[in-house]
Amino acid sequence: MYTRQKALQIAFYLICLLAFSCFSAQAQWNLEKETNGIKIYTAESSTSPVKSVKVEAVFKGTCQKIISILKEVEKQPQWVYATKQAYLIQEISATELLYYVETALPWPARNRDAAVRMTIEQTPADKKVIITTIGEPEAIPAKSGKIRVPQLKGIWQVKEVADGKINIEYILDLNPGGSLPAGVVNLFVTKGPYETFINLAKLLDN
């Protein structure tokens, strides 16, 4: 039986998911890079000076495998671009967790960090999974020397297709806070997502 707090929390994430889905449908996505079956698009963001990013790919794997990879947050430095450290703060349930992540940026920019809530929704009949990641800046105290990311919304939509493969669509809308040189911003527009997905493909194929 759900408590009032839990019901409000679920309603909040459903609203965020709906709003983000509407954003995806309305955004004017521009194809920036297409290599090794990975397509990277960008669109202007209404909440950040950094463009929103959408990545599409078809990889070998299953929904369960990608869930397992994403839930092992402490291993993010091994495959998520520029991740310096990541660790679990709290496992609320099998489908919801709160974790910390620090992203390393080149000098003179300061590293960014975030507390992120991940929720997992599965529809086994459709062989589909939706994984939502939302930043919660106030979830843990600020850390010295780092800039807390003020706004982060990400969504993975994964569906199993023929021949043991999965179709992945990932959308990220991020305000990194502070000021960043254009060169640093560009790293996260195409290079970061591309390198991350190359690494993800290898993990899924293991």
Side-chain angles (χ1 to χ4, degrees):
M1 184 175 180
Y2 288 123
T3 64
R4 174 180 167 81
Q5 181 179 4
K6 184 66 174 178
L8 288 173
Q9 189 177 71
I10 291 172
F12 169 74
Y13 284 105
L14 287 174
I15 290 170
C16 289
L17 180 58
L18 178 60
F20 209 46
S21 298
C22 290
F23 165 75
S24 177
Q26 296 172 4
Q28 298 297 312
W29 294 108
N30 299 304
L31 181 63
E32 300 282 356
K33 183 182 181 75
E34 183 175 1
T35 308
N36 293 323
I38 301 170
K39 296 181 180 180
I40 301 174
Y41 302 82
T42 63
E44 296 296 329
S45 171
S46 61
T47 59
S48 171
V50 178
K51 291 182 178 180
S52 299
V53 177
K54 177 170 73 169
V55 187
E56 296 178 344
V58 176
F59 293 150
K60 286 180 60 178
T62 64
C63 286
Q64 202 56 46
K65 184 67 177 289
I66 198 168
I67 289 173
S68 176
I69 291 170
L70 292 177
K71 287 183 69 176
E72 291 184 302
V73 295
E74 70 281 356
K75 294 184 179 180
Q76 285 190 15
Q78 300 174 20
W79 67 278
V80 179
Y81 180 77
T83 297
K84 182 176 180 179
Q85 63 168 323
Y87 58 81
L88 183 68
I89 297 173
Q90 181 184 11
E91 184 171 8
I92 292 93
S93 70
T95 59
E96 183 178 0
L97 54 87
L98 184 68
Y99 68 94
Y100 173 85
V101 61
E102 178 185 355
T103 301
L105 299 183
W107 185 90
R110 291 163 61 188
N111 286 3
R112 265 52 177 183
D113 71 353
V116 182
R117 187 175 297 273
M118 177 191 297
T119 56
I120 302 166
E121 299 289 338
Q122 297 185 70
T123 53
D126 296 331
K127 297 183 178 180
K128 184 177 181 181
V129 62
I130 297 175
I131 301 168
T132 305
T133 52
I134 298 177
E136 296 192 358
E138 306 300 325
I140 59 173
K143 294 180 179 290
S144 176
K146 303 173 183 62
I147 294 179
R148 179 63 45 84
V149 171
Q151 182 265 329
L152 180 154
K153 293 180 183 177
I155 184 168
W156 298 79
Q157 296 193 69
V158 185
K159 184 175 177 60
E160 294 186 13
V161 293
D163 303 321
K165 296 181 179 180
I166 51 176
N167 184 86
I168 304 172
E169 179 185 273
Y170 174 65
I171 296 175
L172 176 66
D173 188 40
L174 168 73
N175 185 339
S179 60
L180 290 175
V184 174
V185 172
N186 289 338
L187 292 176
F188 293 89
V189 171
T190 56
K191 181 175 176 61
Y194 177 75
E195 296 293 339
T196 296
F197 266 66
I198 285 291
N199 294 333
L200 177 60
K202 294 175 183 176
L203 290 175
L204 287 166
D205 196 28
N206 284 342

